[in-house]
Amino acid sequence: MAHRVTLIPGDGIGPELTEATRRVLDATGVEFEWDVQPAGADVMDEHGGNPLPETTLESIRRNGVALKGPITTPIGEGFRSVNVGLRVLLDLYAQVRPCKTYQGVRTRYEDVDLVIVRETTEDIYAGIEFEQGTPDAEELIAWLAAHGERVPQQDSGISIKPTSITGTRRVFEFAFDYARRMGRRKITAVHKANIMKFTDGLWLHVARAVAAENPDIEFDDRIADNMCMQLVQRPEEYDMMVLPNLYGDIISDLAAGLIGGLGMAPGANFGRGVAVFEPTHGSAPKYAGQNKVNPIAQMLSGMLMLRHLGEMDAADRLEAAISHLIREGKSLTYDMKPTRDDPTAVGTSDVADALIEKLQSGVAV
Ligand code: NAD
């Protein structure tokens, strides 16, 4: 039976990347029924000023799976980021960013194979902020003073960091389940429990409780600053990391840097019964419509989607084809060549054509 998947082309470079990826996914032989849905600034006028139409959300809820291209967040007042909107409205609480080196990619590291799981609803990122100088900020500072907590400077803006048992438990339960399904061996909980006892301390306490319920997967923990150093010195010692929102944002970019940068970094966002697959990078508007940018991060996101759908054989074949293409070094976009103006660089659609040829001729897994 065909998999019904919501396809959101997005804007900027999104449409050309999702088109290249859709063609490659179809060439794996897995049957898809693509439910193409709009989102982004370009479609606002047709949807009463809403960049994230209700019909698009309904499609994702109905199908449970979406492949999404990047979407621009215009700078300025009154525009809610579609990416944040999707995360909040679908309660996508776990972001997964695998970071793996493929032979032939220009990077300082070999044999990196990490999975970053980032909690995406809580923490200092929750958006609870009080602007410096407003009556609310002053009232909060006065309230804190009345409760024995002195803010170092009175002219402070304040952000609040909520961390709950519920939010922490569900992301660790997700991570252990993901580890088991994907054959991973170890989970490292990342935190600053030594400093923030009631938030990161709670995070670590709950992480240990969930780990005790999942003794088949190895578990340890690291303080976030030490984690950064360890990843730069010996990334091969780590397998999966689970992080609160802010550290997850920062450390997943660090990990993308280990494996060759944004063009190689896929991603997925999971909620209860719903998953949205998209690359880590944005919509790079200056390259839109030029058939120039690298589709590999979008295609690797498609490969993660195949695994989520249980299509392990097709996922293995697609990953092998991508790996082969990179190792050969011929049909690659400008960003993967030794210099950015390399005349042998090919376009986005040529990468798709080369991969389809490999899939059809059956490169070895
Ligand atoms: P970006 O990732 O779009 O681009 C930064 C630079 O990275 C580009 O100029 C380009 O040089 C390079 N790049 C990115 N993707 C590439 C690819 N596939 N191949 C080759 N080079 C690539 O980041 P930005 O410029 O900060 O953001 C642009 C827009 O994207 C913003 O509106 C931002 O809000 C949005 N954004 C969307 C998402 C998403 O949809 N999930 C994620 C991040 C940013």
Side-chain angles (χ1 to χ4, degrees):
M1 224 176 67
H3 298 285
R4 203 169 158 78
V5 172
T6 302
L7 179 69
I8 302 174
D11 56 33
I13 55 175
E16 51 206 286
L17 296 182
T18 48
E19 175 56 15
T21 302
R22 187 192 59 73
R23 286 173 53 218
V24 165
L25 288 171
D26 283 338
T28 62
V30 172
E31 275 186 51
F32 290 101
E33 228 179 277
W34 300 104
D35 182 4
V36 181
Q37 295 288 339
D42 298 350
V43 304
M44 275 172 75
D45 291 347
E46 300 149 45
H47 296 273
N50 184 2
L52 182 52
E54 190 51 41
T55 43
T56 299
L57 282 168
E58 274 165 20
S59 163
I60 304 175
R61 287 194 188 105
R62 194 171 54 239
N63 297 325
V65 183
L67 182 68
K68 174 185 165 293
I71 295 176
T72 308
T73 304
I75 296 167
E77 296 295 310
F79 187 93
R80 186 190 196 196
S81 159
V82 170
N83 303 306
V84 173
L86 273 174
R87 209 179 285 171
V88 171
L89 294 168
L90 297 174
D91 195 21
L92 300 169
Y93 61 87
Q95 184 175 72
V96 176
R97 289 181 169 176
C99 290
K100 180 169 167 180
T101 39
Y102 290 91
Q103 199 193 336
V105 172
R106 282 174 301 109
T107 163
R108 292 169 189 272
Y109 294 86
E110 283 168 16
D111 301 328
V112 176
D113 185 4
L114 301 165
V115 176
I116 310 259
V117 179
R118 169 188 173 202
E119 199 289 328
T120 47
T121 64
E122 302 200 322
D123 195 9
I124 204 86
Y125 255 61
I128 309 172
E129 298 205 291
F130 297 90
E131 188 180 353
Q132 184 276 320
T134 59
D136 283 351
E138 281 167 14
E139 191 182 334
L140 182 55
I141 289 168
W143 186 92
L144 288 168
H147 290 77
E149 296 291 351
R150 198 180 167 278
V151 172
Q153 302 292 345
Q154 296 303 295
D155 53 354
S156 295
I158 298 184
S159 298
I160 305 272
K161 174 178 162 102
T163 302
S164 70
I165 295 173
T166 308
T168 308
R169 175 164 270 281
R170 70 177 179 172
V171 76
F172 275 97
E173 284 176 348
F174 167 85
F176 278 97
D177 182 49
Y178 187 92
R180 204 167 288 118
R181 276 189 293 125
M182 299 299 161
R184 311 293 306 201
R185 68 188 159 82
K186 182 171 111 176
I187 285 180
T188 302
V190 183
H191 60 87
K192 289 281 289 184
N194 51 333
I195 305 296
M196 285 167 278
K197 297 193 177 11
F198 299 144
T199 49
D200 286 19
L202 179 144
W203 167 270
L204 181 57
H205 179 74
V206 174
R208 285 179 173 150
V210 179
E213 293 159 18
N214 292 275
D216 54 320
I217 308 281
E218 226 182 295
F219 175 81
D220 64 4
D221 71 275
R222 289 284 178 278
I223 293 175
D225 38 356
N226 182 27
M227 187 79 248
C228 292
M229 191 190 71
Q230 300 268 331
L231 280 178
V232 171
Q233 285 199 318
R234 30 179 188 280
E236 66 284 355
E237 284 187 13
Y238 294 89
D239 189 38
M240 264 179 85
M241 282 156 284
V242 186
L243 304 98
N245 215 338
L246 175 65
Y247 315 143
D249 186 37
I250 297 168
I251 293 183
S252 61
D253 265 35
L254 188 157
L258 301 177
I259 55 134
L262 283 178
M264 291 300 300
N269 301 285
F270 292 88
R272 294 242 186 264
V274 48
V276 178
F277 296 83
E278 61 174 343
T280 297
H281 64 70
S283 58
K286 69 177 176 196
Y287 292 119
Q290 294 177 27
N291 190 34
K292 185 170 171 162
V293 291
N294 189 354
I296 290 181
Q298 184 87 49
M299 289 173 176
L300 288 172
S301 306
M303 184 270 292
L304 296 178
M305 185 179 83
L306 286 172
R307 293 203 191 287
H308 176 73
L309 293 169
E311 299 285 358
M312 298 301 182
D313 173 60
D316 287 345
R317 283 186 288 114
L318 175 56
E319 191 173 17
I322 292 173
S323 174
H324 202 259
L325 187 91
I326 296 170
R327 214 164 46 239
E328 255 177 10
K330 277 194 290 193
S331 299
L332 297 175
T333 48
Y334 72 98
D335 56 306
M336 297 192 73
K337 295 284 182 177
T339 58
R340 297 221 144 203
D341 52 3
D342 190 314
T344 66
V346 304
T348 310
S349 61
D350 304 302
V351 176
D353 292 343
L355 283 170
I356 290 167
E357 207 182 298
K358 285 190 190 302
L359 284 165
Q360 283 166 352
S361 64
V363 281
V365 175

